[in-house]
């Protein structure tokens, strides 16, 4: 909305998502990458934050909050990796999440804390649906849906695997403290 300073997007958990079908510069193959966003939700159902790639082995890249909210899955269609969370992220407060891939392993950061990296061999390929935010929209994918029920803000995609220092500096609330404002702080990196 022109002139609106609130860039957050609210998703209804049943049918809303964002889609960028035409994508350029999105990391593919085994290229390094990072995707980050702020999110808040109170739903404990499976919820997708983002997804892109082809429905073939190791050709997808995405992240969802698993049902029950005790873990998150970084997936690549056959190269799924589950990360156990150290605290609740379904408390209605803002949480910062970053998924990085350095060409050999995936690291997930939640509120500035790195969870144990896991090896993965990705060969991501962009298909006609492009990048989806808030759901898996691939026809024929058993994981389709997973509509996000809450608010996402300040998402970004980088062509590098962000370092722990960079991620920690993006989360100015410290490694264990989630934002308490009604909107997340803006990225202050140069």
């Amino acid at each position: 909305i022109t002139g609106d300073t609130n860039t957050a997007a609210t998703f209804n958990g049943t049918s809303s998502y964002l889609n960028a079908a035409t994508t350029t510069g999105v990391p593919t193959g085994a290229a390094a990458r990072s995707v980050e966003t702020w999110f808040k939700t109170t739903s404990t159902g499976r919820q997708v934050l983002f997804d892109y790639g082809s429905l073939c082995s190791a050709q997808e890249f995405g992240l969802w909050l698993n049902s029950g909210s005790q873990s998150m899955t970084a997936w690549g269609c056959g190269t799924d990796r589950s990360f156990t969370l150290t605290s609740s992220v379904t408390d209605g407060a803002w949480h910062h999440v970053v998924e990085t891939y350095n060409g050999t392993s995936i690291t997930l950061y939640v509120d500035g804390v790195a969870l144990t990296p896991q090896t993965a061999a990705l060969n991501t390929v962009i298909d006609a649906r492009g990048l989806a935010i808030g759901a898996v929209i691939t026809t024929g994918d058993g994981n389709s849906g997973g509509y996000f029920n809450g608010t996402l803000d300040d998402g970004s995609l980088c062509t590098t695997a962000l370092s722990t220092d960079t991620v920690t500096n993006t989360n100015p609330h410290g490694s264990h403290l989630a934002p308490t404002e009604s909107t997340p702080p803006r990225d202050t990196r140069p």
Side-chain angles (χ1 to χ4, degrees), residues 23-36 50 52 61 98-103 124 126 131 155-163 166 189:
T23 56
T24 18
V26 175
T28 58
R33 66 199 78 166
S34 299
V35 178
E36 66 179 314
F50 73 90
Y52 75 90
F61 189 69
V98 181
E99 179 183 359
T100 68
Y101 181 66
N102 66 8
T124 311
I126 295 290
L131 171 70
S156 67
L157 189 147
C158 305
T159 57
T160 61
L162 296 177
S163 69
T166 300
R189 289 180 287 174

Side-chain angles (χ1 to χ4, degrees), residues 96-151:
H96 182 240
V97 64
V98 181
E99 179 183 359
T100 68
Y101 181 66
N102 66 8
T104 60
S105 66
I106 296 171
T107 302
L108 190 67
Y109 298 85
V110 179
D111 294 331
V113 177
L115 304 178
T116 304
Q118 298 186 38
T119 60
L122 298 180
N123 185 25
T124 311
V125 175
I126 295 290
D127 65 7
R129 68 185 169 80
L131 171 70
I133 300 170
V136 173
I137 59 171
T138 305
T139 304
D141 186 340
N143 293 313
S144 286
Y147 294 98
F148 191 78
N149 187 6
T151 306

Side-chain angles (χ1 to χ4, degrees), residues 13-102:
T14 58
S15 62
S16 57
Y17 63 90
L18 297 173
N19 179 231
T22 305
T23 56
T24 18
V26 175
T28 58
R33 66 199 78 166
S34 299
V35 178
E36 66 179 314
T37 192
W38 287 90
F39 71 95
K40 67 177 176 176
T41 185
T42 56
S43 174
T44 58
R46 181 178 71 92
Q47 302 181 75
V48 174
L49 280 82
F50 73 90
D51 171 48
Y52 75 90
S54 174
L55 184 58
C56 293
S57 182
Q59 292 186 358
E60 216 168 356
F61 189 69
L63 181 66
W64 70 55
L65 179 61
N66 291 316
S67 183
S69 307
Q70 301 299 310
S71 62
M72 296 182 93
T73 296
W75 80 94
C77 194
T79 56
D80 300 356
R81 300 295 185 263
S82 183
F83 293 84
T84 301
L85 300 175
T86 58
S87 61
S88 174
V89 293
T90 58
D91 54 6
W94 284 106
H95 295 279
H96 182 240
V97 64
V98 181
E99 179 183 359
T100 68
Y101 181 66
N102 66 8

